[in-house]
Every structure is written in structure tokens, then in C-alpha cells.
């Protein structure tokens, strides 16, 4: 096997998707513990008190004194090179969260056992599902009272329309969680509680279902419950089918407790075994395989430097094919010129270090002198263009204007810059008789970011007025001119920054009504960026 093939096969690049408080920070920390990237985990105590608290990982960084970044975290486990992409989730939920999923090859859907599928999980799930990304489910917080595992399987099917195949079934629920049974291998792993409260790796006892030692450890009641559960799953459940996992139709399911570490390592091992190595990506010259001999990749995230004195930016790139070497010169789609990849950075759990080399599947941060845009391709081979990173529908809208009308120019400049970074989207509403300038965002914190950055970087104070719309839909085709469409009185019409027609709605019900009342009207939740 060539070195390139060997490196690619070992890589696993994924994102964890969840609703706030499901335990993403805790689980990430525990994966780092098992990956040997940190040696002692502590339960995440101080809550995210600072309203502007950046990403969950920065929270870990502050509390644990380790340096991580808000974009990707890398560690080695069992021969695998693991890249976990951060999906901002709390107040910092934004379009970036969606875009990050474009760089992943699979997703771990983390669910609180007591709460089931929550709204943010649902939104992120659909973005993954649309891309047919393999999704692995980890049901968390088994150490305390939660919903019945069969109910949770049912909920995945009803709410998300995905079938589940539990690989690791929990033994003992509702505060009596003791271990997991692996249905594919017929093995049982019972965890030994220690006094470290999850700070250290667990010890465990393993055996098979027929092992008398295991039966004795479990006791008759738990043992019989487990046998009944397995019988039911085998009778009524789905077959394990990797093909269906790979197309996002079936989700392998795991149970555990991130806080006590129960079930974390059995999950990590099986997940890395079944989740795919780097996947090909679509381009205008066909699918590009990771093992192509030339280096290529696309920019999926642009982060302005935290230092306002220098307006430099970091552009994050997913390497799609080949190998990256420091200082290499490659073609850039945005400028159609050759650029030297300067100051590349990669992020290990304990330090941010300069990258010497990286391979398909890896994520690197590039110093951006202001030339990169979201979705740009970089290639050391043919001049190809990777599939567009779409623009996702914002959910909050405000009318925005400069407080001082003399500052309109600066205002425009700042807004354009932020829109280019993908932090905000702009719309113009004309139906009210005068041009109304609107900004749309996926997460409300972006309004504060907008206000703050315009003030500090462009010296412009703004006036914002929030609007009641919650949904925007791009018009793909329409039976009549937009102003003649029959819409509810609370719906609106506008143009996006590329002069495309959009409709604005307050609720899902009015979207449905718009489609029913205007036969032939076709709407989309995402649009092309370019
Ligand atoms: P997030 O990043 O998804 O928002 O979640 P985070 O890890 O911050 O966890 C949210 C809360 O859930 C924390 O509790 C955390 O300790 C708890 N948690 C995470 N995993 C588990 C688990 O497996 N079992 C139980 N019982 N709790 C879990 P908190 O009360 O907000 O903070 P703390 O005082 O417990 O640290």
C-alpha cells in the first residue's frame, strides 16, 4: 500500500451534533481522555456563564488549561487519526454550524436519554441527512433516569424518519446502568465504578452472554431483562446493513454516560471501526477520490482574527485529495492564480502547531490575507471546482441601518465583509414602498457579533429593529410574478444579495399555505452561494 493510501485509510473526520446540554463538551473531553490527548478529565463544572462564551471547546480550554480551537481537534486512537469538527451549539449557533458539516464524513448524534430528540438536533440532523451522511447515535446520561431505550428508537423513527440499529445495548437503566451488550459480537462489557468520577479511564470486565461469571455479576433480574430485550430486538428490529448506514438510512445506536465514562470507549472503538474513512467530494470534473495523487481541498469556514488591530483571517480547509506539504504552491479558484499556502496550522488537543504535512480527510487552517471565500477550491492538480457550499436559511431577521447616515459607506463595507465571511445574510425588501435593508442570521448571537464588529472594526453604530419572520425560502420556480402570489398577510417578499427572489414567513403553516394556494410554486431551504 502506498503511504498516501495508508494515511487516508486511518483517518476519521466527523462532527458531533446535539442540542445544548446533551453533553457534547463532556463527551468530547472523554474522547480526548481515551485518545490519550489529555490525562485527567474533570466534570465540566463552571457553566458557560459568559454570554459571549465562544465555543464549547474554548470552554474546555479555559477550564482544563489546554489549548484547543473552535474548529477541529485531532488525536490518535487505536491506529486511527481522529479529526473532530466543532459544531458551535450554544449561543454561538450560527450558519457556521451547518457549514462545518460539509467538511465531515459522518456525524455523531448525541441525545439526552431523558429528553430525546430536541429542536437543534433535528435541524442539524436534516442538514446531515440531505447530504446522506452516515449518522451514529449516542444516547447519553444513562447514569440517571431516562426514557426507555425502545421508546428512543421509536422516536428516532417517528421524528427523524431514520431506522436505528442498536449495536451496544444498555444493561440496567434508570440509575442502575452497569454495562453494554454488543449485539454484533455477542460480548458484554461491565464497567467498574471507581472513585475518580469519570476523571480517569474505566476498568471493565468482559465476557459473553453465556458466561456464568457475567450472569453472576449481573444478577438474575438484570440478566433476564437483558435476554428479553435482545430477543425483542432480534425479532422486531432491523438487520445491520452497512450499505444503509453509509447512505444515512440506518443509524447505529450506542448507549452511555459521558460523565461517568460508562460506554464511552466501547462506543469510540465501534464507531471508528464502522464510520467511513475520508469520502470523495463532488466537483465540476466528477467525483474526486481522496487517493488522487494531487492535493486538493475546499474552504468551508473563515474566521476573522480575534485581534481587531489586524484584520487577518484564518480560512479552514478540508483536504479532499492527496497530501499537503508546507509551503506548497497551488491553484486557487477564487483568483484563478497560484498561491503559496503560508503559515498553515493544525490543531492538536494540547497545542496549536504549524503543519508540516497533512492528508486527505484532515482540516488545516490557512492564513488568509483576504483572498479566500467560502467554497473556494485549492488544487495542486487540475483546475477543478468543488461543489458549492450552500447558503442556509436564516431564522432571525432585523432591519438594520447606521445610526449616523453619514457613515453609510463604512456601514456597507462592514456588512459586505461580514456577509462574505458568512456570518450574516442580507436582503432587501421593497414591497413596503421604500427599500428596507434586512439582515438574516441563523443564531441570534450573530446580531450582537454584527453590532460589536461594526463598532470596533468599522467605527459604525447601528440601529436594529427585529422583524417577526422566522423562515426564508428561495423561489425556485413560480407560476406568476412574485408580487401576484397569494400569500398570508404576515408573509413578505424580498431579494437576497444576489438579487434572487425570496419569500419570508412567520411560521411553517404559512409556507404550506403558500404552496397550496399557488400551484407550481417551488421553494428551497438553501441556495447556491455563487
Ligand atoms: P453541551 O456541551 O452539550 O452543552 O453539554 P455539557 O457537556 O456542557 O453538559 C451539560 C450538562 O450535562 C452538564 O451538567 C454535564 O455535567 C451534564 N452531563 C453530561 N454528560 C452527562 C452524563 O452522562 N450524565 C449526567 N448525569 N450528566 C451529564 P451541569 O449541571 O450543567 O454542569 P455540572 O455542574 O454537572 O458540571
Amino acid at each position: 500500500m502506498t503511504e498516501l493510501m495508508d494515511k487516508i485509510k486511518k483517518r476519521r473526520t466527523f462532527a458531533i451534533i446535539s442540542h445544548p446540554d446533551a453533553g457534547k463538551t463532556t463527551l468530547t473531553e472523554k474522547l480526548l481522555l481515551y485518545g490519550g490527548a489529555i490525562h485527567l478529565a474533570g466534570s465540566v463544572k463552571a457553566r458557560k456563564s459568559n454570554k459571549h462564551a465562544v465555543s464549547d471547546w474554548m470552554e474546555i480550554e479555559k477550564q482544563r488549561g489546554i489549548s484547543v480551537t473552535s474548529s477541529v481537534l485531532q488525536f490518535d486512537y487505536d491506529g486511527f487519526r481522529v479529526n473532530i469538527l466543532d459544531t458551535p451549539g450554544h449561543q454561538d449557533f450560527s450558519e457556521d454550524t451547518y457549514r462545518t458539516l460539509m467538511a465531515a464524513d459522518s456525524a455523531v448524534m448525541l441525545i439526552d436519554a431523558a429528553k430525546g430528540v430536541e429542536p437543534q438536533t433535528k435541524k442539524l440532523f436534516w442538514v446531515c441527512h440531505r447530504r446522506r451522511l452516515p449518522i451514529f447515535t449516542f444516547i447519553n446520561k444513562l447514569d440517571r433516569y431516562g426514557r426507555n431505550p425502545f421508546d428512543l428508537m421509536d422516536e428516532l423513527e417517528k421524528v427523524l424518519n431514520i431506522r436505528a440499529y442498536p449495536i451496544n445495548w444498555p444493561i440496567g437503566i434508570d440509575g442502575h446502568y452497569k454495562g453494554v451488550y454488543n449485539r454484533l459480537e455477542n460480548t458484554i462489557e461491565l464497567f467498574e465504578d471507581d472513585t475518580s468520577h469519570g476523571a480517569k479511564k474505566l476498568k471493565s470486565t468482559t465476557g459473553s452472554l453465556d458466561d456464568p461469571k457475567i450472569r453472576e455479576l449481573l444478577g438474575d433480574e438484570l440478566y433476564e431483562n437483558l435476554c428479553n430485550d435482545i430477543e425483542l430486538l432480534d425479532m422486531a428490529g432491523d438487520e445491520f446493513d452497512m450499505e444503509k448506514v453509509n447512505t444515512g438510512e440506518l443509524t447505529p445506536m450506542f448507549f452511555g454516560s459521558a460523565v461517568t465514562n460508562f460506554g464511552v470507549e466501547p462506543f469510540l472503538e465501534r464507531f471508528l471501526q464502522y464510520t467511513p474513512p475520508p469520502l470523495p467530494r463532488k466537483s465540476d470534473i466528477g467525483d474526486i477520490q481522496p487517493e488522487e495523487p494531487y492535493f486538493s481541498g475546499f474552504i468551508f469556514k473563515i474566521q476573522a482574527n480575534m485581534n481587531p488591530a489586524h484584520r487577518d483571517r484564518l480560512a479552514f480547509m478540508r483536504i479532499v485529495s492527496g497530501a499537503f506539504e508546507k509551503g506548497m504552491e497551488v491553484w486557487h479558484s477564487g483568483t484563478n492564480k497560484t498561491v503559496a499556502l503560508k503559515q498553515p496550522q493544525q490543531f492538536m488537543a494540547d497545542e496549536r502547531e504549524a503543519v508540516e504535512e497533512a492528508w486527505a480527510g484532515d482540516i488545516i487552517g490557512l492564513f488568509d490575507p483576504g483572498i479566500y471565500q467560502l467554497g473556494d477550491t485549492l488544487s495542486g492538480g487540475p483546475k477543478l471546482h468543488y461543489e458549492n457550499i450552500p447558503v442556509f436559511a436564516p431564522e432571525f431577521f432585523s432591519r438594520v441601518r447606521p445610526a449616523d447616515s453619514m457613515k453609510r459607506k463604512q456601514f456597507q463595507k462592514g456588512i459586505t465583509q461580514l456577509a462574505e465571511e458568512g456570518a450574516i445574510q442580507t436582503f432587501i425588501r421593497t414591497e413596503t414602498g421604500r427599500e428596507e435593508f434586512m439582515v438574516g442570521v441563523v443564531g441570534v448571537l450573530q446580531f450582537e457579533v454584527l453590532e460589536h464588529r461594526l463598532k470596533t472594526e468599522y467605527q459604525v453604530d447601528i440601529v436594529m429593529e427585529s422583524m417577526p419572520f422566522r423562515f426564508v425560502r428561495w423561489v425556485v420556480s413560480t407560476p406568476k410574478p412574485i408580487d401576484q402570489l397569494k400569500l398570508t398577510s404576515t408573509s413578505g417578499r424580498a431579494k437576497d444579495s444576489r438579487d434572487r427572489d425570496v419569500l419570508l414567513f412567520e411560521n411553517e403553516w404559512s409556507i404550506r399555505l403558500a404552496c397550496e394556494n399557488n400551484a407550481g410554486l417551488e421553494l428551497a431551504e438553501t441556495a447556491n452561494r455563487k
Side-chain angles (χ1 to χ4, degrees):
M1 203 182 327
T2 64
E3 189 190 11
L4 177 63
M5 287 287 284
D6 187 42
K7 298 274 186 191
I8 292 168
K9 278 187 100 164
K10 287 181 175 155
R11 280 165 158 74
R12 298 289 184 274
T13 302
F14 64 96
I16 303 178
I17 58 172
S18 62
H19 192 81
D21 279 344
K24 185 159 63 96
T25 315
T26 314
L27 182 67
T28 307
E29 196 181 33
K30 296 311 171 72
L31 297 180
L32 289 178
L33 176 73
Y34 280 98
I38 55 174
H39 296 291
L40 199 65
S43 48
V44 182
K45 276 285 174 245
R47 290 302 300 148
K48 291 125 194 173
S49 49
N50 179 355
K51 190 149 175 276
H52 289 279
V54 265
S55 92
D56 299 339
W57 290 2
M58 288 190 179
E59 207 58 38
I60 302 180
E61 177 171 351
K62 271 193 274 168
Q63 291 165 19
R64 303 266 67 81
I66 59 169
S67 166
V68 294
T69 165
S70 57
S71 288
V72 70
L73 207 56
Q74 198 176 58
F75 65 90
D76 292 319
Y77 180 85
D78 204 14
F80 292 103
R81 171 58 58 95
V82 182
N83 291 306
I84 313 180
L85 289 152
D86 185 25
T87 45
H90 288 73
Q91 298 92 338
D92 54 348
F93 187 68
S94 69
E95 226 191 314
D96 246 5
T97 315
Y98 293 144
R99 279 192 293 261
T100 296
L101 297 173
M102 303 296 124
D105 297 311
S106 66
V108 171
M109 178 164 70
L110 182 68
I111 289 177
D112 181 326
K115 295 186 176 150
V117 178
E118 297 179 84
Q120 202 153 296
T121 322
K122 231 158 98 179
K123 287 184 201 168
L124 291 160
F125 173 86
W126 287 116
V127 174
C128 295
H129 194 68
R130 241 178 262 136
R131 276 195 57 215
R132 300 188 143 249
L133 215 57
I135 297 168
F136 292 73
T137 303
F138 185 90
I139 304 286
N140 192 26
K141 308 200 183 182
L142 264 271
D143 56 292
R144 63 181 192 197
Y145 174 79
R147 307 234 310 257
N148 183 297
F150 286 103
D151 277 358
L152 290 163
M153 284 174 69
D154 209 37
E155 180 162 289
L156 293 185
E157 190 173 347
K158 291 218 172 81
V159 180
L160 303 176
N161 200 16
I162 189 167
R163 308 278 301 180
Y165 182 95
I167 290 187
N168 284 345
W169 190 252
I171 303 173
I173 51 173
D174 292 346
H176 304 287
Y177 179 46
K178 285 195 160 30
V180 289
Y181 170 69
N182 184 309
R183 291 176 66 213
L184 294 175
E185 295 160 23
N186 183 25
T187 52
I188 284 184
E189 185 163 349
L190 296 178
F191 311 113
E192 286 170 31
D193 217 348
D194 62 15
T195 50
S196 83
H197 301 293
K200 293 189 188 151
K201 296 182 193 176
L202 286 178
K203 291 201 177 79
S204 61
T205 310
T206 48
S208 75
L209 194 58
D210 335 301
D211 199 331
K213 178 183 72 182
I214 293 283
R215 184 172 183 152
E216 196 186 314
L217 278 171
L218 279 180
D220 286 343
E221 196 184 336
L222 278 184
Y223 184 80
E224 265 155 39
N225 285 348
L226 175 64
C227 291
N228 289 340
D229 284 357
I230 295 168
E231 204 179 312
L232 196 60
L233 284 170
D234 287 346
M235 249 172 22
D238 288 66
E239 295 276 305
F240 185 64
D241 180 344
M242 257 333 275
E243 191 86 346
K244 287 190 176 161
V245 174
N246 285 337
T247 50
E249 290 164 76
L250 185 74
T251 177
M253 199 176 186
F254 299 83
F255 294 82
S257 157
V259 96
T260 62
N261 301 352
F262 280 28
V264 171
E265 194 168 32
F267 158 71
L268 180 62
E269 278 171 1
R270 298 324 182 281
F271 168 67
L272 293 177
Q273 182 183 340
Y274 294 114
T275 194
L279 297 175
R281 290 293 195 279
K282 288 196 177 78
S283 85
D284 59 347
I285 59 164
D287 282 3
I288 306 296
Q289 301 295 330
E291 57 273 12
E292 286 291 346
Y294 57 86
F295 162 87
S296 72
F298 62 89
I299 308 284
F300 66 94
K301 174 174 174 148
I302 291 175
Q303 200 169 35
N305 200 306
M306 294 299 149
N307 180 352
H310 309 276
R311 280 192 208 150
D312 52 351
R313 311 191 290 184
L314 268 187
F316 289 90
M317 179 176 60
R318 151 82 195 216
I319 303 178
V320 178
S321 70
F324 167 83
E325 282 159 39
K326 195 174 157 188
M328 73 194 305
E329 296 197 342
V330 297
W331 172 79
H332 168 227
S333 68
T335 51
N336 194 20
K337 284 190 182 138
T338 300
V339 292
L341 302 181
K342 289 190 196 131
Q343 302 178 23
Q345 300 187 343
Q346 207 164 28
F347 306 92
M348 301 295 283
D350 47 358
E351 62 197 49
R352 178 186 290 209
E353 52 176 45
V355 196
E356 296 296 329
E357 52 171 37
W359 308 84
D362 287 338
I363 310 296
I364 54 175
L366 300 171
F367 170 74
D368 176 15
I371 58 167
Y372 298 128
Q373 294 203 1
L374 291 168
D376 281 0
T377 299
L378 292 160
S379 170
K383 293 182 177 178
L384 58 98
H385 294 83
Y386 280 109
E387 197 182 25
N388 234 298
I389 292 186
V391 176
F392 295 90
E395 294 175 30
F396 302 94
F397 301 85
S398 281
R399 277 188 208 105
V400 181
R401 61 183 166 84
D404 175 356
S405 55
M406 301 293 282
K407 296 231 169 151
R408 183 151 281 278
K409 227 173 162 178
Q410 284 294 87
F411 171 78
Q412 289 289 4
K413 200 170 149 195
I415 290 272
T416 308
Q417 164 70 23
L418 284 163
E420 257 176 33
E421 278 177 36
I424 56 164
Q425 288 178 44
T426 57
F427 300 91
I428 304 233
R429 200 166 160 223
T430 47
E431 63 187 341
T432 48
R434 59 193 167 94
E435 280 206 350
E436 248 177 27
F437 182 74
M438 276 181 0
V439 165
V441 296
V442 166
V444 273
L445 182 69
Q446 296 305 313
F447 283 137
E448 285 178 46
V449 171
L450 169 72
E451 195 168 16
H452 179 75
R453 289 191 55 191
L454 283 179
K455 192 178 173 67
T456 51
E457 295 171 30
Y458 297 88
Q459 292 76 48
V460 181
D461 285 311
I462 54 169
V463 180
M464 282 196 285
E465 227 178 296
S466 107
M467 305 187 81
F469 303 121
R470 283 290 173 273
F471 299 87
V472 61
R473 292 291 178 267
W474 280 268
V475 178
V476 179
S477 70
T478 175
K480 46 183 122 155
I482 303 296
D483 55 1
Q484 288 168 29
L485 287 173
K486 212 171 145 201
L487 303 176
T488 54
S489 61
T490 55
S491 308
R493 299 164 176 84
K495 297 268 190 193
D496 75 357
S497 61
R498 292 192 51 212
D499 210 33
R500 293 177 291 207
D501 286 311
V502 298
L503 300 179
L504 298 152
F505 301 98
E506 284 191 5
N507 47 46
E508 286 186 86
W509 172 79
S510 5
I511 306 179
R512 265 201 308 278
L513 215 60
C515 293
E516 277 168 29
N517 290 342
N518 302 279
L521 177 67
E522 210 184 307
L523 302 174
E525 275 181 58
T526 57
N528 279 341
R529 180 170 304 278
K530 289 177 180 162

